[in-house]
Amino acid sequence: MKEYVIAEARATGAAEPPSPGAAEPPSPGAAESTPPPAEESTPPPVEGSTPPPVEESTPPPAPGAERYAALDFANSAIALPGGQFTDLLGTPAAANQWLFAHDLAPADAGLQEMCTAQLRALREQIRSLLAARVDGCPPPSSALAALNEALTRAPAATLLHWDPARGLYRAASHPTTQIVEHALATLAADAADLLTGPAADRLTACGSAPCNRYLLRHGRRHWCSTRCGDRARAARAYARRTRPGSGSGSESD
């Protein structure tokens, strides 16, 4: 899945005029031997204050998403800090790009909003099934019905075709009107494999709020990305510093 990183440019403005009473600027000859001033560093936050929000881009795929497209599909609705939200299926163009990146549709499939809404609906049903598995609860019957319905959308058999140059050959036939049905069936089958296979025991939710992604756990790791792990540790340290009765400097990691 392609990542889109938002780069922030730093613009350098003109120097401010000296205020009244300020020291005169050095002469040209002296300026040549005077070392440049050190770059200002951002002052540390005052203890007890709210840390400034950090702008975040789309995180990398969660562990396990490289093996299970359904896991990456479920994680395509991403909650970010500061109340931000990214939906990789939010528009037909974005959904088409996601399907193309996962070899589920051509780049020029021309998805419409109705097809995109079907993808988002299945995504929510798969998320419900993943949540039930992680929490050890019975799966919602509506989610099971939706997944089973999606499984039947595309034929499993490869069909027989004729081409003057190739002759007779077999291949799955997915006309433009069936591209979404094929994608839904493929993602539903992948989700069923994930939920019923040995990897299901390693399925967990990211432990860094407000992240809402799922991952396959490796060892004790419960974070979907390094960024989420760093954020969770920073939140714990901040909570210890601001806990009533805790003295500053008494914290140790």
Side-chain angles (χ1 to χ4, degrees):
M1 182 174 62
K2 300 179 177 66
E3 292 186 31
Y4 296 91
V5 180
I6 303 175
E8 189 178 66
R10 298 184 56 187
T12 305
E16 297 182 0
S19 57
E24 292 293 330
S27 61
E32 294 178 359
S33 59
T34 303
E39 183 179 356
E40 292 186 3
S41 60
T42 304
V46 179
E47 184 171 333
S49 62
T50 303
V54 179
E55 185 178 15
E56 299 206 13
S57 60
T58 303
E66 73 284 349
R67 178 179 176 186
Y68 292 97
L71 185 60
D72 206 32
F73 181 62
N75 290 338
S76 61
I78 309 168
L80 298 170
Q84 301 181 61
F85 184 82
T86 297
D87 190 350
L88 302 181
L89 308 177
T91 64
N96 199 152
Q97 184 175 8
W98 191 94
L99 293 177
F100 174 70
H102 291 77
D103 297 324
L104 292 172
D108 57 350
L111 267 65
Q112 301 300 314
E113 177 56 33
M114 182 175 65
C115 297
T116 307
Q118 288 180 303
L119 288 166
R120 291 194 295 262
L122 180 64
R123 178 182 63 190
E124 294 311 306
Q125 301 295 353
I126 291 178
R127 287 185 60 84
S128 296
L129 293 171
L130 296 180
R133 182 64 175 80
V134 169
D135 296 337
C137 301
S141 57
S142 58
L144 285 174
L147 195 75
N148 286 329
E149 195 273 335
L151 283 170
T152 64
R153 284 179 174 263
T158 56
L159 306 181
L160 187 64
H161 301 273
W162 163 259
D163 181 83
R166 298 176 58 183
L168 286 170
Y169 67 97
R170 293 189 66 180
S173 180
H174 306 299
T176 304
T177 55
Q178 296 179 1
I179 287 176
V180 173
E181 282 78 3
H182 173 248
L184 291 170
T186 302
L187 291 167
D190 194 62
D193 289 341
L194 170 61
L195 290 165
T196 59
D201 291 334
R202 296 192 290 116
L203 184 65
T204 189
C206 183
S208 176
C211 184
N212 61 340
R213 301 203 302 169
Y214 293 95
L215 65 141
L216 294 184
R217 182 177 58 250
H218 293 279
R220 299 178 60 186
R221 173 176 175 175
H222 286 152
W223 325 118
C224 71
S225 66
T226 302
R227 179 185 304 172
C228 278
D230 291 344
R231 186 165 60 236
R233 285 186 288 270
R236 287 199 302 267
Y238 181 77
R240 288 195 296 267
R241 288 198 304 269
T242 57
R243 184 182 304 135
S246 63
S248 61
S250 61
E251 175 200 357
S252 61
D253 289 335

